[in-house]
Amino acid sequence: MQLSAALWRVIAGTTLVVLSFSLLNPVMAVRLEHMGTSATAIGFFAMLPYLSVALLVPFAPRLFKRVGVGHAYRIGLAMELVACLGYLFTASYELWCVLALSAGIGSAAAWNATEALIAHNVPATHRGRLTGLYQTALGAAMAVGPLLPGLVGLGPQGANVLAAMGLVVGLMLSVGTDITKLRASREDAPHMSLWSAWRAHPVLAWAALTGGVFEVGLTSVTTAYGSETGLSLAQATSIAGALGMGSFLLQYPAGWLADHMSTTKLFAGAGVILLLSAVGFALSPHWPSLMWASATCWGAVGGALYTLSMIRVAHDFSNSSAVAGTAAMIACYTLGGSVGPLISGVVLDHWGLSGQAGWLGVLAASLLLALFHMRQGQISQTQG
């Protein structure tokens, strides 16, 4: 598969960013829980990076046009590094929230740049597999990051330092003029707004939002819940590790399947599995291993929903703007990642584990309902 060295370096740098993020966030959640912070406040903190990404991504096409995709990618990584270093020098919840917002702004640039570059530059015959391979690398990073405290014996400060080191290496990989020469859309492509992209593919957008809730919106709150039940730091963060491991295992197979069969069928299968995982989570007090099994499903299937959404974007926006298409999906995915921990925190505080399982089940069912309505609309158009 012939891709430029610059694009491979971007992919590697973004993988390191995700590794650092997945290492640090669960540890921060446990630190907040040890400080006596409520699940709602922890969920609010975990929501902020994703919320700022969701709010800033709509402006990404204009930013890329003004400063270039490569420069925007570097600026984003630098902002994430500054925020990560800031966590080392304060224990203020309020300041942590400001830093989380700053990190999210950086992520909006770096993330959208990477996804748009992949969607625009990968040949159509290999889009599913390359996108799946990229998401597999991110899934591996998500799986390994939360497990490092237990594997290496890191405390909170050590985890923070290691996360910062990963961001430094990622930033170094982005150095070079070849990065700034990469393009993410055709020069003659007409402008497309995010609203137009959403209107063109509403079910795709909802699938991305659902994927965001399950893959990244449950990590911190579920880790804190595990700690609250008496699990050690290593055991509690291993729940997030199971979620990341699920994401690692399924993304390449999902991409390969997308190259060979209907993505609509794959979306429907994902909805059914997520619905069953919510039932499993409700039963976890009786069978504790189901907590890890459900988390594995959330990472695997939630990640697959995002992967499949991006594959469809690469196909459906090939003649227009990959930047607008990927930005629309990222905005929905990060919206899911931002509201997921907040809603989960509130639900856990007021209705406990059964309430959490209930709202996740409703979300999974809503995806199946959206797919059913889309299918009915397609049948009506065909008959008409």
Side-chain angles (χ1 to χ4, degrees):
M1 193 182 307
Q2 294 296 320
L3 296 179
S4 69
L7 183 56
W8 282 117
R9 296 208 319 274
V10 168
I11 292 172
T14 303
T15 302
L16 284 172
V17 170
V18 172
L19 175 65
S20 298
F21 182 83
S22 63
L23 161 63
L24 186 59
N25 270 24
V27 173
M28 298 291 284
V30 171
R31 285 181 65 184
L32 287 169
E33 194 276 328
H34 287 171
M35 292 163 54
T37 308
S38 69
T40 300
I42 294 172
F44 179 77
F45 170 77
M47 172 193 77
L48 291 174
Y50 299 104
L51 179 62
S52 56
V53 169
L55 293 175
L56 267 293
V57 157
F59 301 98
R62 293 183 183 276
L63 174 66
F64 293 167
K65 185 176 182 179
R66 180 179 295 271
V67 304
V69 180
H71 288 303
Y73 178 77
R74 289 175 186 163
I75 293 170
L77 263 60
M79 292 186 68
E80 292 188 73
L81 175 59
V82 169
C84 184
L85 291 173
Y87 293 130
L88 284 169
F89 302 106
T90 178
S92 166
Y93 175 81
E94 291 77 13
L95 186 54
W96 282 5
C97 288
V98 174
L99 293 172
L101 283 170
S102 176
I105 293 172
S107 295
W111 187 0
N112 201 165
T114 307
E115 298 284 6
L117 287 170
I118 291 173
H120 181 70
N121 292 285
V122 176
T125 54
H126 292 81
R127 280 171 182 159
R129 279 159 284 183
L130 192 282
T131 304
L133 180 63
Y134 167 65
Q135 297 300 334
T136 297
L138 299 191
M142 288 182 66
V144 172
L147 296 176
L148 285 177
L151 292 174
V152 188
L154 292 172
Q157 293 294 102
N160 201 151
V161 171
L162 186 59
M165 291 173 60
L167 290 170
V168 168
V169 175
L171 188 58
M172 291 175 63
L173 286 172
S174 70
V175 175
T177 57
D178 54 347
I179 296 290
T180 60
K181 294 178 181 179
L182 292 171
R183 296 291 179 267
S185 62
R186 290 170 43 188
E187 293 186 6
D188 60 343
H191 173 73
M192 174 178 282
S193 67
L194 265 69
W195 179 245
S196 298
W198 286 325
R199 288 186 61 188
H201 300 281
V203 176
L204 201 61
W206 188 250
L209 184 147
T210 303
V213 171
F214 279 97
E215 186 181 22
V216 296
L218 303 177
T219 304
S220 296
V221 171
T222 305
T223 300
Y225 172 78
S227 179
E228 183 182 336
T229 63
L231 299 179
S232 67
L233 173 64
Q235 290 172 325
T237 56
S238 72
I239 300 173
L243 199 151
M245 184 59 69
S247 181
F248 166 71
L249 291 172
L250 195 61
Q251 302 324 302
Y252 185 80
W256 185 89
L257 287 171
D259 283 337
H260 295 85
M261 64 181 295
S262 166
T263 53
T264 302
K265 293 180 179 178
L266 295 175
F267 280 131
V272 171
I273 294 173
L274 290 177
L275 189 58
L276 293 174
S277 72
V279 175
F281 187 66
L283 298 174
S284 63
H286 305 288
W287 294 281
S289 60
L290 286 176
M291 186 180 299
W292 281 266
S294 294
T296 302
C297 287
W298 297 339
V301 181
L305 286 174
Y306 177 73
T307 297
L308 294 171
S309 297
M310 283 302 178
I311 291 169
R312 287 309 319 166
V313 162
H315 287 294
D316 297 344
F317 292 83
S318 59
N319 293 322
S320 53
S321 173
V323 173
T326 56
M329 296 307 113
I330 289 173
C332 291
Y333 179 81
T334 50
L335 180 60
S338 64
V339 301
L342 181 60
I343 295 175
S344 293
V346 172
V347 169
L348 281 169
D349 277 341
H350 293 86
W351 296 284
L353 182 140
S354 60
Q356 171 78 343
W359 100 264
L360 293 178
V362 169
L363 179 61
S366 73
L367 176 60
L368 293 172
L369 185 61
L371 290 166
F372 174 77
H373 281 300
M374 181 187 74
R375 178 62 176 167
Q376 291 299 108
Q378 291 174 341
I379 292 176
S380 298
Q381 290 179 357
T382 301
Q383 293 176 342

